Amino acid sequence: MSGRWWLCALLWSALSGVARAEDAPSEDGGVAQAASEAPAVEPRSAVDATASLPPDDLPALQTVVTGSRTQERLRETPVATEVITRSEIIASGARDASELLATRPGLVVQQGFAGATLSVQGLAPEYVLVLVDGERVTGKVDGSVDLSRLSLEDIEQVEIVKGPSSVLYGSDAVAGVVNFITRRAQRTLGADLRAAYGTLQRLDLDATGETRGDAWGLRLSAGLQRRASYDLDPSDIGTTGSSLDGYDVSARGDWRGSETLSLEGTASFSHRIQRGVDLGAGNAVFDRATRDNTFASRLSPSWRLSSAATLRADVSYGHYERRYLRDQRNASALDTVEDTRDQQARVGAQVEARPGGGHALVAGTEYLGEWLRSDRLEGGRGRRGRGSVYAQDSWTLAEGVGLVLVPGGRLDVDSQFGLAATPRVALKADPTSWLTVRGSYGWGYRAPSFQDLLIDFENPSVGYTVRGNPDLKPERSRSVSINLEARPTRDSMVWVGAFQHGLRDMIAASLQSEGDFLRYSYINIARARVRGAELGLRQSLPGRIQLELGYTLTDGTDQELDRALEGQARHRLTAQATWRHRQWGLEANVRGALTGERPFYPDTNGDGVADSYRASPTVSLDARVAWQLPAGGLQLFVVGSNLTGAGNPNDLPIPPRTLQAGVSTRF
């Protein structure tokens, strides 16, 4: 589809899918206005919402939706949920989702050809479900979502739920769910502008506008991104990271037709072109380029059935297309052009009810359809559908001690793999006013991707072929977690957690020799166990300083090969400090991570035997300093990324040290 038709489709969706206004605040309702007035650093988790905020600030941060697919107070959610607020997003200086999540405890962002992918609690990116406003992000590359595609100019807050969430979200939510909540209109008429430029010729331009009436609201946003390529190995002519040239536009609207009917809609489109230089066998040089177009839309009407029950319907559609070109210099025998088109549509209905007796019920049904056309698939295409029903009950057993039992279950019927049941039970208690305990046990599963099933690809320049396996079975998991959060004083909070994931029928690559070629395929043989613990401290210090420290221990084992999981560090330390002086208009944020040794098992000579090594520990550091001018509403800022200069072209291909200066205004 041409760019002109994409833009027409986006404008049509923005005009016809103007969103809902609810009687109660929406999942991010009320946050946008309060974000600019919130304290220096907002709470990280369910406990923080009351640990360090005065009463007037609580409404801005007490609503989340991801853990239960319905609105609930952050402090009361039985499933531990971490929230990154709008003011934290701004203070971090992050320009996309990958930069924002790179230094969060328990999360690891991995850079590679597929982009920036996310691992949670030691599990690979394909076990993490990425959502925007509760909808799956379309367009996975090598089984994972590229987080660098998700810009932040229109994100209100990010909700992170670690542990099995397949009971509510189905396939892929084994390690957890990350949900990006977009901003809704708050002001009668307003706009925000931001511009920044720095090393690597990086240019970022963002603009948003909004308007709100008595029963409706509309918010529009747009962004432009440009960046030169970079090379961490100057001894060759290849590039480690591709150049970037892209833009994105989005719209979100809401409308309240009556006391019982409301409507919400969103639409977005992004366009990205990346270019790089690769080296092949025999010193062959290839110029590479990818063009990605992504379109997503959602329409959600809601009906208030009674004072204790609400019905919501969801209709969404996403389309992702990629063109990959590889041009061999001074030759044409290995030139390739590959097209991929990924479509996804979902229709669902959900009832939320409070029948009394301490029960809060959520029950729903949905159908998800997926269609993929790719030159790398056998037959050129794949399609499947998945219908499901799910239910969860938050049952308050003892209100005085905050004892809540949450049983739930989901049943999926996949057109390729049949039935999959994923139950879960969670428990929350507040034995004292300063202590909260949460625990959960649940099942999860991941259906094989179209690539696992149908890929048919040859790379003669390197000497290997890849063939899918249509007889693969879904992967299964059993997970348990427990979390304790203590607030010994108003200015401090300590959290500790432990988790374990057990996976079976894991899909692993199988290597065979075919003459001069190596043949890779996929089989269900692997088993893995990942367990670990998290420890953290959040403390307000004198001088308006907010400090957060985190430590994650991850013990991941491939039980078939009896070795540690590849690329997974056993130890990781994270830290973040924020300082803000409102009278002077100054604010500063520094965040970093110390990542321990990571094991790798490459086959460097193609003999089928791994040449193991351990990557050295790395330290990453990012910082942002901003000054709010006394008059004119302007803010000047400087952002530094990877200030330690970490990274290498082999196992840590992150961008080099960069600086960027900019200006933003709000009116």
Side-chain angles (χ1 to χ4, degrees):
M1 184 179 290
S2 68
R4 179 173 55 191
W5 285 107
W6 274 118
L7 291 176
C8 290
L10 176 64
L11 292 174
W12 179 87
S13 298
L15 294 173
S16 63
V18 181
R20 103 184 166 216
E22 301 175 347
D23 294 333
S26 70
E27 63 267 27
D28 59 337
V31 179
Q33 183 176 357
S36 62
E37 304 171 357
V41 177
E42 286 75 8
R44 71 166 291 278
S45 67
V47 174
D48 289 324
T50 56
S52 59
L53 294 179
D56 292 342
D57 288 322
L58 292 180
L61 298 168
Q62 63 188 18
T63 303
V64 293
V65 298
T66 306
S68 63
R69 291 187 76 153
T70 186
Q71 299 168 30
E72 57 186 352
R73 292 167 61 93
L74 182 59
R75 171 71 183 273
E76 297 174 356
T77 175
V79 180
T81 303
E82 180 180 349
V83 174
I84 307 174
T85 65
R86 178 63 187 172
S87 58
E88 285 184 305
I89 294 173
I90 295 174
S92 72
R95 292 155 294 194
D96 58 50
S98 67
E99 295 182 356
L100 178 67
L101 301 178
T103 56
R104 307 302 296 190
L107 309 183
V108 176
V109 174
Q110 302 171 339
Q111 298 280 352
F113 174 77
T117 58
L118 180 67
S119 296
V120 175
Q121 291 187 338
L123 292 181
E126 56 263 31
Y127 302 104
V128 181
L129 183 60
V130 180
L131 309 172
V132 174
D133 289 328
E135 299 293 340
R136 292 169 178 259
V137 175
T138 309
K140 293 183 177 181
V141 178
D142 290 341
S144 306
V145 172
D146 179 7
L147 294 178
S148 66
R149 286 165 39 200
L150 304 179
S151 58
L152 298 175
E153 74 267 7
D154 207 37
I155 300 300
E156 183 61 60
Q157 68 182 39
V158 183
E159 299 176 9
I160 304 167
V161 178
K162 301 171 186 175
S165 297
S166 294
V167 63
L168 293 178
Y169 295 99
S171 178
D172 306 334
V174 174
V177 174
V178 180
N179 192 7
F180 295 86
I181 309 295
T182 59
R183 306 174 69 184
R184 63 181 300 182
Q186 295 288 332
R187 295 173 287 173
T188 302
L189 190 63
D192 298 276
L193 300 174
R194 178 182 178 275
Y197 184 80
T199 50
L200 292 181
Q201 302 176 26
R202 175 141 191 174
L203 173 66
D204 291 281
L205 301 175
D206 302 326
T208 63
E210 63 181 81
T211 180
R212 173 158 292 283
D214 293 336
W216 59 274
L218 178 64
R219 182 178 180 86
L220 304 174
S221 65
L224 174 69
Q225 309 89 33
R226 288 181 178 173
R227 185 196 65 206
S229 60
Y230 60 90
D231 187 12
L232 301 181
D233 184 5
S235 64
D236 58 46
I237 62 174
T239 59
T240 305
S242 303
S243 65
L244 171 66
D245 191 344
Y247 66 87
D248 54 81
V249 291
S250 64
R252 171 169 177 161
D254 56 81
W255 171 73
R256 184 176 59 208
S258 65
E259 293 297 323
T260 60
L261 173 64
S262 59
L263 186 68
E264 180 180 276
T266 59
S268 64
F269 173 76
S270 68
H271 172 81
R272 292 163 58 90
I273 294 178
Q274 299 182 82
R275 294 184 174 89
V277 180
D278 297 332
L279 299 180
N283 295 321
V285 179
F286 297 89
D287 293 299
R288 166 177 47 82
T290 59
R291 184 192 65 197
D292 298 335
N293 291 326
T294 307
F295 173 75
S297 61
R298 176 179 63 95
L299 190 64
S300 298
S302 296
W303 297 269
R304 184 176 294 277
L305 305 179
S306 67
S307 60
T310 302
L311 171 64
R312 189 185 78 237
D314 295 293
V315 179
S316 67
Y317 171 75
H319 186 113
Y320 170 80
E321 63 177 20
R322 160 173 282 206
R323 167 158 285 193
Y324 170 73
L325 299 93
R326 189 177 64 169
D327 178 22
Q328 183 180 4
R329 294 184 182 178
N330 304 317
S332 60
L334 300 179
D335 291 355
T336 58
V337 178
E338 298 175 1
D339 288 312
T340 299
R341 289 180 173 83
D342 186 7
Q343 299 180 79
Q344 185 173 276
R346 188 180 76 90
V347 178
Q350 178 175 294
V351 175
E352 306 163 16
R354 295 183 176 271
H359 294 276
L361 298 173
V362 174
T365 181
E366 63 182 11
Y367 180 83
L368 176 69
E370 299 175 274
W371 303 268
L372 179 66
R373 296 184 61 185
S374 173
D375 294 333
R376 290 195 176 191
L377 295 185
E378 182 179 357
R381 66 180 61 195
R383 63 177 63 184
R384 67 177 169 215
R386 186 182 304 133
S388 62
V389 293
Y390 59 88
Q392 179 173 280
D393 178 23
S394 296
W395 182 15
T396 303
L397 300 176
E399 188 171 352
V401 294
L403 183 60
V404 181
L405 177 66
V406 187
R410 179 181 174 115
L411 183 66
D412 285 274
V413 182
D414 193 288
S415 61
Q416 288 181 297
F417 306 108
L419 294 175
T422 50
R424 183 184 67 183
V425 60
L427 186 70
K428 182 194 80 83
D430 298 308
T432 70
S433 61
W434 52 269
L435 178 65
T436 299
V437 181
R438 294 178 175 86
S440 66
Y441 171 79
W443 295 7
Y445 86 104
R446 185 183 81 89
S449 68
F450 288 123
Q451 173 179 306
D452 298 333
L453 299 167
L454 303 173
I455 190 170
D456 185 0
F457 172 70
E458 293 185 0
N459 192 341
S461 65
V462 180
Y464 70 87
T465 65
V466 184
R467 297 288 185 269
N469 181 359
D471 297 323
L472 290 173
K473 299 181 296 184
E475 299 175 300
R476 307 284 180 167
S477 71
R478 304 288 186 270
S479 303
V480 61
S481 65
I482 185 170
N483 299 273
L484 290 85
E485 296 175 326
R487 304 167 298 281
T489 69
R490 178 181 176 84
D491 296 326
S492 63
M493 195 271 286
V494 179
W495 70 90
V496 60
F499 60 88
Q500 177 169 301
H501 304 283
L503 292 91
R504 59 184 175 88
D505 293 329
M506 288 184 64
I507 298 171
S510 173
L511 177 63
Q512 299 176 355
S513 296
E514 291 184 346
D516 295 333
F517 279 78
L518 295 176
R519 180 180 182 271
Y520 290 90
S521 186
Y522 300 99
I523 52 178
N524 290 103
I525 60 168
R527 293 184 301 122
R529 182 196 63 214
V530 181
R531 57 189 178 185
E534 293 182 15
L535 177 65
L537 167 68
R538 189 181 187 94
Q539 179 69 51
S540 295
L541 301 175
R544 302 180 180 89
I545 297 175
Q546 193 82 15
L547 178 66
E548 181 177 318
L549 301 174
Y551 166 71
T552 304
L553 169 66
T554 307
D555 178 19
T557 303
D558 185 327
Q559 294 176 298
E560 293 294 330
L561 299 177
D562 191 26
R563 67 186 188 187
L565 293 178
E566 186 172 31
Q568 177 62 59
R570 184 176 178 86
H571 304 283
R572 191 166 188 261
L573 294 171
T574 59
Q576 178 173 257
T578 302
W579 173 78
R580 180 176 296 173
H581 197 293
R582 296 184 183 278
Q583 288 77 13
W584 297 349
L586 292 175
E587 63 179 38
N589 177 275
V590 179
R591 56 198 182 103
L594 169 60
T595 304
E597 292 184 341
R598 296 168 296 137
F600 289 91
Y601 314 102
D603 180 8
T604 56
N605 55 16
D607 62 357
V609 178
D611 302 303
S612 305
Y613 74 95
R614 302 185 70 86
S616 301
T618 59
V619 177
S620 62
L621 186 66
D622 303 326
R624 178 182 183 269
V625 179
W627 177 41
Q628 186 75 39
L629 272 62
L634 292 178
Q635 184 183 70
L636 306 178
F637 60 87
V638 177
V639 177
S641 300
N642 190 16
L643 296 177
T644 59
N648 64 75
N650 299 318
D651 50 63
L652 194 63
I654 62 177
R657 181 187 300 110
T658 60
L659 295 174
Q660 194 177 42
V663 59
S664 64
T665 184
R666 177 182 175 91
F667 54 88

